[in-house]
Amino acid sequence: MGNLRLEFIKDGYIKINTLLSSNEVNNLRTIYDELLLEKDKTRHLRSDLAGVEGSESRKIERITQIMRPSTVIPELLKTKAYKVALQWAKDLLGDDMELDFDMMINKAPHSKTETPWHQDAAYWIAMPDKRSASCWIALDEVYVENGCMWFVPKREGYAILPHKNLPNGGALYCDTPTDKAESIPLSPGGCTFHDGYTLHYSKGNCTDSQRRALILNFRPEKMIDLEREQGVDHLGERKQRV
């Protein structure tokens, strides 16, 4: 853990080959697929990070994001994924780390839509304690061709680059040098942790299968309280906050 903690602090991300067993992955896949199909209960939590394509009645989701899925299926919070990831967050950044929000991001087969380079902190309000850790859990075999994560080692400090929105309500993106970028293939149940200031990206899915990921975001409990006091519950409209 000591070396991984130092790596996380220095580079802004780490890879963990095995966070979950195959049984736990299968359990999460069942819940995940149920939520992907349940469009009524997830309507207020759901968006397409690639931007809307087609009319509202025939909208095609290319990168489906569902925020706070545990508000729809609370038993998610009792799964091993949430418990083990929280302990890792505490080991990396301190015992006051707690779950801020969870989300699902699925890249549909042959969607071929990139998730552009960005920093998560571009979505967040300014917080005096900047510690954060996002656990990106693979529920499928992930590799370059179906959209594994890429990271650029973090520069010193907590600078947020200028970001813009993709057209039609899509994700934030920024222009940045990527010559030092590293791709992180994962087996099902493997994960990465990254902080909010680390640049990351993934290619489109060019395969016949889904690329399902569960993301758990952790920060200090006092900063979660500050967010909630300011009305930030990660259920509303996605927008640049700083």
Side-chain angles (χ1 to χ4, degrees), residues 126-159:
M127 285 176 272
D129 189 335
K130 302 184 186 304
R131 287 177 294 154
S132 65
S134 296
C135 180
W136 193 101
I137 303 170
L139 300 184
D140 299 291
E141 194 78 29
V142 296
Y143 42 93
V144 171
E145 290 76 15
N146 73 347
C148 73
M149 293 285 275
W150 292 70
F151 296 101
V152 172
K154 190 176 71 172
R155 301 173 182 137
E156 292 184 5
Y158 296 97

PDB file of all heavy atoms in Angstrom, residues 126-159:
ATOM      1  N   ALA A 126     -15.529  24.841  -5.999  1.00  0.00           N
ATOM      2  CA  ALA A 126     -14.234  25.021  -5.343  1.00  0.00           C
ATOM      3  C   ALA A 126     -14.338  24.568  -3.885  1.00  0.00           C
ATOM      4  O   ALA A 126     -15.278  24.945  -3.181  1.00  0.00           O
ATOM      5  CB  ALA A 126     -13.806  26.477  -5.416  1.00  0.00           C
ATOM      6  N   MET A 127     -13.399  23.738  -3.461  1.00  0.00           N
ATOM      7  CA  MET A 127     -13.401  23.225  -2.097  1.00  0.00           C
ATOM      8  C   MET A 127     -12.037  23.430  -1.462  1.00  0.00           C
ATOM      9  O   MET A 127     -11.007  23.191  -2.112  1.00  0.00           O
ATOM     10  CB  MET A 127     -13.793  21.748  -2.087  1.00  0.00           C
ATOM     11  CG  MET A 127     -15.286  21.536  -2.307  1.00  0.00           C
ATOM     12  SD  MET A 127     -15.772  19.814  -2.422  1.00  0.00           S
ATOM     13  CE  MET A 127     -15.540  19.530  -4.171  1.00  0.00           C
ATOM     14  N   PRO A 128     -11.987  23.871  -0.197  1.00  0.00           N
ATOM     15  CA  PRO A 128     -10.695  24.126   0.435  1.00  0.00           C
ATOM     16  C   PRO A 128      -9.849  22.873   0.614  1.00  0.00           C
ATOM     17  O   PRO A 128      -8.625  22.936   0.532  1.00  0.00           O
ATOM     18  CB  PRO A 128     -11.075  24.751   1.789  1.00  0.00           C
ATOM     19  CG  PRO A 128     -12.502  24.388   2.008  1.00  0.00           C
ATOM     20  CD  PRO A 128     -13.119  24.272   0.661  1.00  0.00           C
ATOM     21  N   ASP A 129     -10.482  21.736   0.840  1.00  0.00           N
ATOM     22  CA  ASP A 129      -9.764  20.460   0.944  1.00  0.00           C
ATOM     23  C   ASP A 129      -9.938  19.744  -0.389  1.00  0.00           C
ATOM     24  O   ASP A 129     -11.039  19.313  -0.740  1.00  0.00           O
ATOM     25  CB  ASP A 129     -10.336  19.631   2.090  1.00  0.00           C
ATOM     26  CG  ASP A 129      -9.494  18.386   2.394  1.00  0.00           C
ATOM     27  OD1 ASP A 129      -8.789  17.904   1.489  1.00  0.00           O
ATOM     28  OD2 ASP A 129      -9.551  17.897   3.543  1.00  0.00           O
ATOM     29  N   LYS A 130      -8.859  19.633  -1.144  1.00  0.00           N
ATOM     30  CA  LYS A 130      -8.949  19.170  -2.522  1.00  0.00           C
ATOM     31  C   LYS A 130      -8.727  17.670  -2.682  1.00  0.00           C
ATOM     32  O   LYS A 130      -8.654  17.173  -3.795  1.00  0.00           O
ATOM     33  CB  LYS A 130      -7.953  19.948  -3.391  1.00  0.00           C
ATOM     34  CG  LYS A 130      -8.198  21.460  -3.338  1.00  0.00           C
ATOM     35  CD  LYS A 130      -7.280  22.213  -4.265  1.00  0.00           C
ATOM     36  CE  LYS A 130      -7.443  23.724  -4.092  1.00  0.00           C
ATOM     37  NZ  LYS A 130      -8.830  24.185  -4.274  1.00  0.00           N
ATOM     38  N   ARG A 131      -8.617  16.942  -1.589  1.00  0.00           N
ATOM     39  CA  ARG A 131      -8.436  15.494  -1.692  1.00  0.00           C
ATOM     40  C   ARG A 131      -9.671  14.846  -2.330  1.00  0.00           C
ATOM     41  O   ARG A 131     -10.801  15.141  -1.971  1.00  0.00           O
ATOM     42  CB  ARG A 131      -8.209  14.891  -0.305  1.00  0.00           C
ATOM     43  CG  ARG A 131      -6.851  15.180   0.311  1.00  0.00           C
ATOM     44  CD  ARG A 131      -6.768  14.605   1.724  1.00  0.00           C
ATOM     45  NE  ARG A 131      -7.695  15.296   2.617  1.00  0.00           N
ATOM     46  CZ  ARG A 131      -8.219  14.745   3.715  1.00  0.00           C
ATOM     47  NH1 ARG A 131      -7.950  13.496   4.032  1.00  0.00           N
ATOM     48  NH2 ARG A 131      -9.027  15.453   4.490  1.00  0.00           N
ATOM     49  N   SER A 132      -9.433  13.954  -3.261  1.00  0.00           N
ATOM     50  CA  SER A 132     -10.517  13.200  -3.884  1.00  0.00           C
ATOM     51  C   SER A 132      -9.939  11.953  -4.529  1.00  0.00           C
ATOM     52  O   SER A 132      -8.762  11.917  -4.898  1.00  0.00           O
ATOM     53  CB  SER A 132     -11.247  14.041  -4.945  1.00  0.00           C
ATOM     54  OG  SER A 132     -10.377  14.341  -6.021  1.00  0.00           O
ATOM     55  N   ALA A 133     -10.773  10.939  -4.650  1.00  0.00           N
ATOM     56  CA  ALA A 133     -10.363   9.698  -5.309  1.00  0.00           C
ATOM     57  C   ALA A 133     -11.575   9.097  -6.008  1.00  0.00           C
ATOM     58  O   ALA A 133     -12.622   8.897  -5.385  1.00  0.00           O
ATOM     59  CB  ALA A 133      -9.801   8.703  -4.301  1.00  0.00           C
ATOM     60  N   SER A 134     -11.437   8.856  -7.303  1.00  0.00           N
ATOM     61  CA  SER A 134     -12.486   8.214  -8.087  1.00  0.00           C
ATOM     62  C   SER A 134     -12.030   6.805  -8.440  1.00  0.00           C
ATOM     63  O   SER A 134     -10.973   6.625  -9.051  1.00  0.00           O
ATOM     64  CB  SER A 134     -12.774   9.001  -9.369  1.00  0.00           C
ATOM     65  OG  SER A 134     -13.290  10.279  -9.069  1.00  0.00           O
ATOM     66  N   CYS A 135     -12.830   5.842  -8.042  1.00  0.00           N
ATOM     67  CA  CYS A 135     -12.527   4.435  -8.317  1.00  0.00           C
ATOM     68  C   CYS A 135     -13.313   4.009  -9.550  1.00  0.00           C
ATOM     69  O   CYS A 135     -14.547   3.998  -9.529  1.00  0.00           O
ATOM     70  CB  CYS A 135     -12.895   3.581  -7.110  1.00  0.00           C
ATOM     71  SG  CYS A 135     -12.573   1.821  -7.326  1.00  0.00           S
ATOM     72  N   TRP A 136     -12.599   3.677 -10.635  1.00  0.00           N
ATOM     73  CA  TRP A 136     -13.201   3.296 -11.920  1.00  0.00           C
ATOM     74  C   TRP A 136     -13.087   1.767 -12.027  1.00  0.00           C
ATOM     75  O   TRP A 136     -12.006   1.224 -12.229  1.00  0.00           O
ATOM     76  CB  TRP A 136     -12.457   3.990 -13.043  1.00  0.00           C
ATOM     77  CG  TRP A 136     -13.086   3.990 -14.405  1.00  0.00           C
ATOM     78  CD1 TRP A 136     -13.777   5.016 -14.978  1.00  0.00           C
ATOM     79  CD2 TRP A 136     -13.046   2.944 -15.395  1.00  0.00           C
ATOM     80  NE1 TRP A 136     -14.170   4.679 -16.257  1.00  0.00           N
ATOM     81  CE2 TRP A 136     -13.737   3.410 -16.532  1.00  0.00           C
ATOM     82  CE3 TRP A 136     -12.491   1.661 -15.418  1.00  0.00           C
ATOM     83  CZ2 TRP A 136     -13.887   2.647 -17.681  1.00  0.00           C
ATOM     84  CZ3 TRP A 136     -12.652   0.883 -16.561  1.00  0.00           C
ATOM     85  CH2 TRP A 136     -13.343   1.377 -17.676  1.00  0.00           C
ATOM     86  N   ILE A 137     -14.218   1.069 -11.858  1.00  0.00           N
ATOM     87  CA  ILE A 137     -14.226  -0.397 -11.784  1.00  0.00           C
ATOM     88  C   ILE A 137     -14.699  -0.979 -13.117  1.00  0.00           C
ATOM     89  O   ILE A 137     -15.792  -0.653 -13.601  1.00  0.00           O
ATOM     90  CB  ILE A 137     -15.145  -0.882 -10.654  1.00  0.00           C
ATOM     91  CG1 ILE A 137     -14.715  -0.263  -9.310  1.00  0.00           C
ATOM     92  CG2 ILE A 137     -15.128  -2.417 -10.566  1.00  0.00           C
ATOM     93  CD1 ILE A 137     -15.706  -0.508  -8.186  1.00  0.00           C
ATOM     94  N   ALA A 138     -13.907  -1.847 -13.699  1.00  0.00           N
ATOM     95  CA  ALA A 138     -14.257  -2.511 -14.957  1.00  0.00           C
ATOM     96  C   ALA A 138     -15.165  -3.706 -14.681  1.00  0.00           C
ATOM     97  O   ALA A 138     -14.830  -4.567 -13.859  1.00  0.00           O
ATOM     98  CB  ALA A 138     -12.998  -2.973 -15.678  1.00  0.00           C
ATOM     99  N   LEU A 139     -16.297  -3.765 -15.356  1.00  0.00           N
ATOM    100  CA  LEU A 139     -17.177  -4.930 -15.266  1.00  0.00           C
ATOM    101  C   LEU A 139     -17.080  -5.807 -16.507  1.00  0.00           C
ATOM    102  O   LEU A 139     -17.748  -6.844 -16.591  1.00  0.00           O
ATOM    103  CB  LEU A 139     -18.625  -4.479 -15.049  1.00  0.00           C
ATOM    104  CG  LEU A 139     -18.873  -3.666 -13.773  1.00  0.00           C
ATOM    105  CD1 LEU A 139     -20.355  -3.375 -13.618  1.00  0.00           C
ATOM    106  CD2 LEU A 139     -18.335  -4.381 -12.540  1.00  0.00           C
ATOM    107  N   ASP A 140     -16.263  -5.377 -17.457  1.00  0.00           N
ATOM    108  CA  ASP A 140     -15.938  -6.156 -18.656  1.00  0.00           C
ATOM    109  C   ASP A 140     -14.431  -6.112 -18.841  1.00  0.00           C
ATOM    110  O   ASP A 140     -13.742  -5.315 -18.207  1.00  0.00           O
ATOM    111  CB  ASP A 140     -16.620  -5.554 -19.889  1.00  0.00           C
ATOM    112  CG  ASP A 140     -18.133  -5.550 -19.784  1.00  0.00           C
ATOM    113  OD1 ASP A 140     -18.725  -6.635 -19.818  1.00  0.00           O
ATOM    114  OD2 ASP A 140     -18.713  -4.458 -19.655  1.00  0.00           O
ATOM    115  N   GLU A 141     -13.931  -6.969 -19.708  1.00  0.00           N
ATOM    116  CA  GLU A 141     -12.535  -6.829 -20.131  1.00  0.00           C
ATOM    117  C   GLU A 141     -12.425  -5.499 -20.872  1.00  0.00           C
ATOM    118  O   GLU A 141     -13.161  -5.257 -21.839  1.00  0.00           O
ATOM    119  CB  GLU A 141     -12.154  -7.985 -21.047  1.00  0.00           C
ATOM    120  CG  GLU A 141     -10.670  -8.136 -21.275  1.00  0.00           C
ATOM    121  CD  GLU A 141      -9.955  -8.806 -20.113  1.00  0.00           C
ATOM    122  OE1 GLU A 141     -10.590  -9.616 -19.404  1.00  0.00           O
ATOM    123  OE2 GLU A 141      -8.759  -8.520 -19.922  1.00  0.00           O
ATOM    124  N   VAL A 142     -11.558  -4.616 -20.416  1.00  0.00           N
ATOM    125  CA  VAL A 142     -11.439  -3.316 -21.078  1.00  0.00           C
ATOM    126  C   VAL A 142     -10.034  -3.142 -21.632  1.00  0.00           C
ATOM    127  O   VAL A 142      -9.043  -3.507 -21.001  1.00  0.00           O
ATOM    128  CB  VAL A 142     -11.812  -2.140 -20.142  1.00  0.00           C
ATOM    129  CG1 VAL A 142     -13.267  -2.219 -19.738  1.00  0.00           C
ATOM    130  CG2 VAL A 142     -10.934  -2.076 -18.922  1.00  0.00           C
ATOM    131  N   TYR A 143      -9.970  -2.578 -22.827  1.00  0.00           N
ATOM    132  CA  TYR A 143      -8.709  -2.400 -23.535  1.00  0.00           C
ATOM    133  C   TYR A 143      -8.897  -1.219 -24.484  1.00  0.00           C
ATOM    134  O   TYR A 143      -9.977  -0.597 -24.516  1.00  0.00           O
ATOM    135  CB  TYR A 143      -8.306  -3.682 -24.265  1.00  0.00           C
ATOM    136  CG  TYR A 143      -9.454  -4.391 -24.954  1.00  0.00           C
ATOM    137  CD1 TYR A 143      -9.752  -4.153 -26.291  1.00  0.00           C
ATOM    138  CD2 TYR A 143     -10.267  -5.295 -24.242  1.00  0.00           C
ATOM    139  CE1 TYR A 143     -10.814  -4.786 -26.912  1.00  0.00           C
ATOM    140  CE2 TYR A 143     -11.336  -5.927 -24.866  1.00  0.00           C
ATOM    141  CZ  TYR A 143     -11.606  -5.673 -26.191  1.00  0.00           C
ATOM    142  OH  TYR A 143     -12.671  -6.294 -26.807  1.00  0.00           O
ATOM    143  N   VAL A 144      -7.882  -0.893 -25.230  1.00  0.00           N
ATOM    144  CA  VAL A 144      -7.928   0.336 -26.030  1.00  0.00           C
ATOM    145  C   VAL A 144      -9.127   0.349 -26.973  1.00  0.00           C
ATOM    146  O   VAL A 144      -9.830   1.360 -27.112  1.00  0.00           O
ATOM    147  CB  VAL A 144      -6.606   0.508 -26.811  1.00  0.00           C
ATOM    148  CG1 VAL A 144      -6.722   1.649 -27.819  1.00  0.00           C
ATOM    149  CG2 VAL A 144      -5.438   0.759 -25.861  1.00  0.00           C
ATOM    150  N   GLU A 145      -9.400  -0.786 -27.621  1.00  0.00           N
ATOM    151  CA  GLU A 145     -10.422  -0.821 -28.677  1.00  0.00           C
ATOM    152  C   GLU A 145     -11.848  -0.644 -28.154  1.00  0.00           C
ATOM    153  O   GLU A 145     -12.747  -0.298 -28.933  1.00  0.00           O
ATOM    154  CB  GLU A 145     -10.324  -2.126 -29.465  1.00  0.00           C
ATOM    155  CG  GLU A 145      -9.100  -2.238 -30.349  1.00  0.00           C
ATOM    156  CD  GLU A 145      -7.819  -2.556 -29.566  1.00  0.00           C
ATOM    157  OE1 GLU A 145      -7.918  -2.966 -28.388  1.00  0.00           O
ATOM    158  OE2 GLU A 145      -6.725  -2.388 -30.139  1.00  0.00           O
ATOM    159  N   ASN A 146     -12.091  -0.923 -26.871  1.00  0.00           N
ATOM    160  CA  ASN A 146     -13.463  -0.732 -26.371  1.00  0.00           C
ATOM    161  C   ASN A 146     -13.563   0.376 -25.331  1.00  0.00           C
ATOM    162  O   ASN A 146     -14.617   0.595 -24.746  1.00  0.00           O
ATOM    163  CB  ASN A 146     -14.058  -2.046 -25.839  1.00  0.00           C
ATOM    164  CG  ASN A 146     -13.467  -2.480 -24.519  1.00  0.00           C
ATOM    165  OD1 ASN A 146     -12.444  -1.966 -24.074  1.00  0.00           O
ATOM    166  ND2 ASN A 146     -14.101  -3.457 -23.883  1.00  0.00           N
ATOM    167  N   GLY A 147     -12.467   1.099 -25.100  1.00  0.00           N
ATOM    168  CA  GLY A 147     -12.580   2.291 -24.275  1.00  0.00           C
ATOM    169  C   GLY A 147     -11.995   2.193 -22.887  1.00  0.00           C
ATOM    170  O   GLY A 147     -12.610   2.679 -21.933  1.00  0.00           O
ATOM    171  N   CYS A 148     -10.813   1.601 -22.742  1.00  0.00           N
ATOM    172  CA  CYS A 148     -10.155   1.616 -21.437  1.00  0.00           C
ATOM    173  C   CYS A 148      -9.709   3.041 -21.106  1.00  0.00           C
ATOM    174  O   CYS A 148      -9.661   3.919 -21.969  1.00  0.00           O
ATOM    175  CB  CYS A 148      -8.963   0.667 -21.400  1.00  0.00           C
ATOM    176  SG  CYS A 148      -7.500   1.218 -22.329  1.00  0.00           S
ATOM    177  N   MET A 149      -9.383   3.260 -19.845  1.00  0.00           N
ATOM    178  CA  MET A 149      -8.957   4.582 -19.404  1.00  0.00           C
ATOM    179  C   MET A 149      -7.527   4.884 -19.841  1.00  0.00           C
ATOM    180  O   MET A 149      -6.676   3.989 -19.901  1.00  0.00           O
ATOM    181  CB  MET A 149      -9.045   4.666 -17.881  1.00  0.00           C
ATOM    182  CG  MET A 149     -10.456   4.604 -17.338  1.00  0.00           C
ATOM    183  SD  MET A 149     -11.357   6.146 -17.574  1.00  0.00           S
ATOM    184  CE  MET A 149     -10.824   7.035 -16.121  1.00  0.00           C
ATOM    185  N   TRP A 150      -7.286   6.150 -20.148  1.00  0.00           N
ATOM    186  CA  TRP A 150      -5.955   6.699 -20.366  1.00  0.00           C
ATOM    187  C   TRP A 150      -5.742   7.827 -19.366  1.00  0.00           C
ATOM    188  O   TRP A 150      -6.675   8.587 -19.071  1.00  0.00           O
ATOM    189  CB  TRP A 150      -5.826   7.281 -21.775  1.00  0.00           C
ATOM    190  CG  TRP A 150      -5.848   6.308 -22.910  1.00  0.00           C
ATOM    191  CD1 TRP A 150      -6.913   5.578 -23.349  1.00  0.00           C
ATOM    192  CD2 TRP A 150      -4.750   6.001 -23.780  1.00  0.00           C
ATOM    193  NE1 TRP A 150      -6.555   4.825 -24.438  1.00  0.00           N
ATOM    194  CE2 TRP A 150      -5.232   5.064 -24.732  1.00  0.00           C
ATOM    195  CE3 TRP A 150      -3.430   6.421 -23.863  1.00  0.00           C
ATOM    196  CZ2 TRP A 150      -4.431   4.549 -25.738  1.00  0.00           C
ATOM    197  CZ3 TRP A 150      -2.626   5.912 -24.870  1.00  0.00           C
ATOM    198  CH2 TRP A 150      -3.118   4.977 -25.792  1.00  0.00           C
ATOM    199  N   PHE A 151      -4.518   7.947 -18.855  1.00  0.00           N
ATOM    200  CA  PHE A 151      -4.197   9.016 -17.912  1.00  0.00           C
ATOM    201  C   PHE A 151      -2.912   9.720 -18.322  1.00  0.00           C
ATOM    202  O   PHE A 151      -2.016   9.108 -18.912  1.00  0.00           O
ATOM    203  CB  PHE A 151      -3.991   8.470 -16.502  1.00  0.00           C
ATOM    204  CG  PHE A 151      -5.208   7.843 -15.881  1.00  0.00           C
ATOM    205  CD1 PHE A 151      -5.350   6.457 -15.850  1.00  0.00           C
ATOM    206  CD2 PHE A 151      -6.203   8.626 -15.324  1.00  0.00           C
ATOM    207  CE1 PHE A 151      -6.467   5.869 -15.272  1.00  0.00           C
ATOM    208  CE2 PHE A 151      -7.326   8.051 -14.756  1.00  0.00           C
ATOM    209  CZ  PHE A 151      -7.454   6.666 -14.727  1.00  0.00           C
ATOM    210  N   VAL A 152      -2.845  10.995 -18.003  1.00  0.00           N
ATOM    211  CA  VAL A 152      -1.597  11.759 -18.080  1.00  0.00           C
ATOM    212  C   VAL A 152      -1.151  12.000 -16.641  1.00  0.00           C
ATOM    213  O   VAL A 152      -1.944  12.498 -15.834  1.00  0.00           O
ATOM    214  CB  VAL A 152      -1.791  13.104 -18.806  1.00  0.00           C
ATOM    215  CG1 VAL A 152      -0.522  13.958 -18.701  1.00  0.00           C
ATOM    216  CG2 VAL A 152      -2.151  12.880 -20.259  1.00  0.00           C
ATOM    217  N   PRO A 153       0.086  11.644 -16.285  1.00  0.00           N
ATOM    218  CA  PRO A 153       0.546  11.895 -14.918  1.00  0.00           C
ATOM    219  C   PRO A 153       0.309  13.346 -14.515  1.00  0.00           C
ATOM    220  O   PRO A 153       0.549  14.270 -15.298  1.00  0.00           O
ATOM    221  CB  PRO A 153       2.036  11.566 -14.974  1.00  0.00           C
ATOM    222  CG  PRO A 153       2.161  10.582 -16.093  1.00  0.00           C
ATOM    223  CD  PRO A 153       1.129  10.998 -17.106  1.00  0.00           C
ATOM    224  N   LYS A 154      -0.191  13.518 -13.301  1.00  0.00           N
ATOM    225  CA  LYS A 154      -0.587  14.851 -12.838  1.00  0.00           C
ATOM    226  C   LYS A 154       0.618  15.766 -12.697  1.00  0.00           C
ATOM    227  O   LYS A 154       1.666  15.357 -12.220  1.00  0.00           O
ATOM    228  CB  LYS A 154      -1.301  14.734 -11.492  1.00  0.00           C
ATOM    229  CG  LYS A 154      -1.976  16.017 -11.035  1.00  0.00           C
ATOM    230  CD  LYS A 154      -2.746  15.811  -9.747  1.00  0.00           C
ATOM    231  CE  LYS A 154      -1.800  15.606  -8.574  1.00  0.00           C
ATOM    232  NZ  LYS A 154      -2.518  15.597  -7.291  1.00  0.00           N
ATOM    233  N   ARG A 155       0.429  17.020 -13.104  1.00  0.00           N
ATOM    234  CA  ARG A 155       1.441  18.026 -12.851  1.00  0.00           C
ATOM    235  C   ARG A 155       1.331  18.484 -11.401  1.00  0.00           C
ATOM    236  O   ARG A 155       0.348  18.201 -10.715  1.00  0.00           O
ATOM    237  CB  ARG A 155       1.230  19.222 -13.788  1.00  0.00           C
ATOM    238  CG  ARG A 155       1.305  18.828 -15.261  1.00  0.00           C
ATOM    239  CD  ARG A 155       0.925  20.008 -16.152  1.00  0.00           C
ATOM    240  NE  ARG A 155       0.939  19.616 -17.560  1.00  0.00           N
ATOM    241  CZ  ARG A 155       0.018  19.956 -18.436  1.00  0.00           C
ATOM    242  NH1 ARG A 155      -1.005  20.687 -18.057  1.00  0.00           N
ATOM    243  NH2 ARG A 155       0.104  19.575 -19.686  1.00  0.00           N
ATOM    244  N   GLU A 156       2.327  19.218 -10.940  1.00  0.00           N
ATOM    245  CA  GLU A 156       2.299  19.713  -9.565  1.00  0.00           C
ATOM    246  C   GLU A 156       1.139  20.686  -9.384  1.00  0.00           C
ATOM    247  O   GLU A 156       0.779  21.433 -10.283  1.00  0.00           O
ATOM    248  CB  GLU A 156       3.621  20.400  -9.226  1.00  0.00           C
ATOM    249  CG  GLU A 156       4.803  19.443  -9.159  1.00  0.00           C
ATOM    250  CD  GLU A 156       6.071  20.147  -8.728  1.00  0.00           C
ATOM    251  OE1 GLU A 156       6.006  21.343  -8.402  1.00  0.00           O
ATOM    252  OE2 GLU A 156       7.123  19.497  -8.733  1.00  0.00           O
ATOM    253  N   GLY A 157       0.563  20.656  -8.180  1.00  0.00           N
ATOM    254  CA  GLY A 157      -0.495  21.592  -7.855  1.00  0.00           C
ATOM    255  C   GLY A 157      -1.867  21.099  -8.251  1.00  0.00           C
ATOM    256  O   GLY A 157      -2.069  19.928  -8.567  1.00  0.00           O
ATOM    257  N   TYR A 158      -2.830  22.021  -8.231  1.00  0.00           N
ATOM    258  CA  TYR A 158      -4.227  21.671  -8.441  1.00  0.00           C
ATOM    259  C   TYR A 158      -4.862  22.554  -9.522  1.00  0.00           C
ATOM    260  O   TYR A 158      -5.985  23.019  -9.374  1.00  0.00           O
ATOM    261  CB  TYR A 158      -5.008  21.805  -7.131  1.00  0.00           C
ATOM    262  CG  TYR A 158      -4.546  20.841  -6.061  1.00  0.00           C
ATOM    263  CD1 TYR A 158      -3.644  21.234  -5.092  1.00  0.00           C
ATOM    264  CD2 TYR A 158      -5.011  19.529  -6.045  1.00  0.00           C
ATOM    265  CE1 TYR A 158      -3.219  20.353  -4.108  1.00  0.00           C
ATOM    266  CE2 TYR A 158      -4.589  18.631  -5.073  1.00  0.00           C
ATOM    267  CZ  TYR A 158      -3.696  19.056  -4.107  1.00  0.00           C
ATOM    268  OH  TYR A 158      -3.280  18.178  -3.147  1.00  0.00           O
ATOM    269  N   ALA A 159      -4.130  22.793 -10.592  1.00  0.00           N
ATOM    270  CA  ALA A 159      -4.639  23.658 -11.656  1.00  0.00           C
ATOM    271  C   ALA A 159      -5.720  22.941 -12.464  1.00  0.00           C
ATOM    272  O   ALA A 159      -5.601  21.758 -12.780  1.00  0.00           O
ATOM    273  CB  ALA A 159      -3.498  24.081 -12.572  1.00  0.00           C
TER     274      ALA A 159
END
